[in-house]
Amino acid sequence: MKENFSGRSRFVNYLVPLCLFAASWPVGRTGGALYALGALILAGLSFFLFRHLVHQINQAEQRSCELDEQLIQSQKLAAIGELSSGIAHEINNPLAIIGQEVEWLRHLFETSTLQEEKDRGEFSDSLKQISSQVDRCRDITHKLLNFARKMDPVMQAVELNRLIDDMAALVEKEAKLNNINIIREFQKDLPLVTSDPPFLRQVILNLLNNATYAIEANGTITISTKDNKDGRVEIAVADTGRGIPKEHLKKIFDPFFTTKPPGKGTGLGLSICHGIIQRVGGTISVISQLDRGTTFTIRLPIAP
Amino acid sequence: MPSFKVLVVDDEFDFLETIVKRLQKRKIDATGVGSGLEALKLLEETSFDILILDVKMPKMDGIETLKEIKRRWPAVEVIMLTGHASVESGMQGMQLGAFDYVMKPAKLDDLIEKMVQAYERKLLREKQIR
Ligand SMILES: Nc1ncnc2c1ncn2[C@@H]1O[C@H](COP(=O)(O)OP(=O)(O)OP(=O)(O)O)[C@@H](O)[C@H]1O
Ligand SMILES: [Mg+2]
């Protein structure tokens, strides 16, 4: 949308002074004026054409940069995923053995009569503590394995506007409490997209959740969809929140990167989004201005 | 209408009874149980294609039930039902592998449409694995 608008207004910018100039030319010298006008229009047109070409080249360059970055990011994610699942696997085995030994100790303890009353209490507390810590470790390793797990997407027809609307409704009530408005700018005749619906729901929810967190209170989230007419559709989630500092922009898709206070965020949200969008053949990018807001843009292929 | 088997899990008895009846009237093979534990028990004996799972239930809540179901019967597609909109539980549910998240009161037609999509997904996944 925005690009189209700025493109048109630039064209108008050249045309208006040209017309004004032509209109103010004295009537008596029509012949010369015609030549001059012709030359001017030609100059204007070629200038416009040149600007347009430069603009296109820049865009193409930017796109290839974006692609490079997406590639690096996905390689990084894959490496971290592999590493963490490797570690999780390695730790799971000794954990299982510790768990079994604890059970065995408990059994020995319960059948023995040798211990004094007060020793028994401590012994049993200690066993309980060990097994609960083992459970905790197991929980962490399972989460890591879950993060690394490569679930193949299941591609089916998706009514994107409807899917997004559902997720917005889920967020809306809580958002309203903090005076955050959700505005939907959906393109009406958006084509059906072939993608993985639950994956997309997860991504939209994550982005909406991040947006409400970034706004805290009093602001708007604008979700828009549009057909890019190049075989892709575009979803944008824009917020009027705190924005992202430049030095963070490169890190936000990294797993475990978070600016939330300890214990509040895992920093896995955006890396999960990135992984999902990659798997369904799309791209995700971000633009942000400090204290102004942030826009995440997803481009999805209409057919896989 | 494709034929699939649905299990509705909700502790609110009135809601459960009504929805099961209305689904059956639409010729959908629907069963209802009142708790997560009952659902797990029933799944051990009978197979279902789709589960409609209330998020808020006493004892074993919807999220916990979902976790257990996805661990033991990953092929079952689960649609979460929630009375109040909560981002947190929504994110949890989707991350644990739910197919969709629907707010109560859901229109029956909408719910059925989501079930059809969930069932389509189940079939597609079975085809992928084979
Ligand atoms: N819309 C946004 N506005 C400003 N900053 C954002 C936005 N979205 C993400 N960020 C930044 O990117 C970081 C990483 O986001 P991500 O979703 O991966 O993790 P998180 O939100 O911190 O933790 P979790 O998702 O587990 O709650 C955030 O901590 C925040 O600094
Ligand atoms: Mg997040």
Side-chain angles (χ1 to χ4, degrees), chain A residues 205-207 209-211 213 257-258 260 264-271 273, chain B residues 91:
Chain A
L205 268 182
N206 260 305
L207 294 183
N209 194 36
N210 282 348
Y213 188 84
F257 176 80
T258 179
K260 287 183 177 173
K264 282 278 152 54
T266 61
L268 285 176
L270 281 178
S271 55
C273 290
Chain B
M91 298 232 299

Side-chain angles (χ1 to χ4, degrees), chain A residues 182-202:
Chain A
I182 300 184
I183 298 172
R184 297 154 169 84
E185 286 180 356
F186 295 157
Q187 182 174 319
K188 279 221 179 64
D189 47 358
L190 204 68
L192 278 180
V193 171
T194 304
S195 200
D196 184 301
F199 273 174
L200 293 184
R201 288 190 185 101
Q202 217 172 306

Side-chain angles (χ1 to χ4, degrees), chain A residues 156 162 166 196 201 209, chain B residues 91 99-100 114 120-121:
Chain A
Q156 55 187 133
R162 175 98 179 274
D166 282 352
D196 184 301
R201 288 190 185 101
N209 194 36
Chain B
M91 298 232 299
F99 175 76
D100 203 348
K114 287 183 194 292
E120 181 194 45
R121 180 182 176 83

